[in-house]
Amino acid sequence: MRFDLPRQSLAAALERYGQATGLPVFFDAALVQGRWSSPVAGSYTPREALGRMLASTGLHSQSAGAGQREAFVILPDPSSRGTAPRDHAFPKDVAPS
């Protein structure tokens, strides 16, 4: 599948990903707030594209289905302890709570 998703707010990127693939992506709005996606351009499987989009966000996807019923849940990386690199997590004028 061909993707052309620029760097953007992670919430917007996940919405666009879901529209493009037809696959549901479940996430907590507070978890993705203030985070930015990595750009994804090229031909990838939906799973590969989602992984590239989440690179450097401190988050990862977990499959919640299979085949035509495939869906993904966005979760914090276990190694990140729920935080993301500062450049991707929060705008400079907003502190994490």
Side-chain angles (χ1 to χ4, degrees), residues 64-83:
Q68 292 181 348
R69 299 189 91 133
E70 188 169 28
F72 296 98
V73 177
I74 305 303
L75 301 167
D77 282 339
S79 62
S80 71
R81 296 184 192 91
T83 61

Side-chain angles (χ1 to χ4, degrees), residues 1-6 8-27 31-32 36-65 70-75 77:
M1 177 172 226
R2 177 95 180 126
F3 291 88
D4 187 16
L5 300 171
Q8 58 191 304
S9 76
L10 188 52
L14 292 169
E15 292 295 330
R16 286 187 61 190
Y17 171 89
Q19 292 169 351
T21 63
L23 299 173
V25 180
F26 300 100
F27 58 92
L31 183 64
V32 301
W36 293 86
S37 69
S38 293
V40 180
S43 294
Y44 303 100
T45 67
R47 184 181 304 260
E48 290 170 331
L50 187 55
R52 287 178 175 270
M53 180 187 303
L54 295 173
S56 300
T57 63
L59 304 174
H60 72 280
S61 66
Q62 180 175 314
S63 181
E70 188 169 28
F72 296 98
V73 177
I74 305 303
L75 301 167
D77 282 339

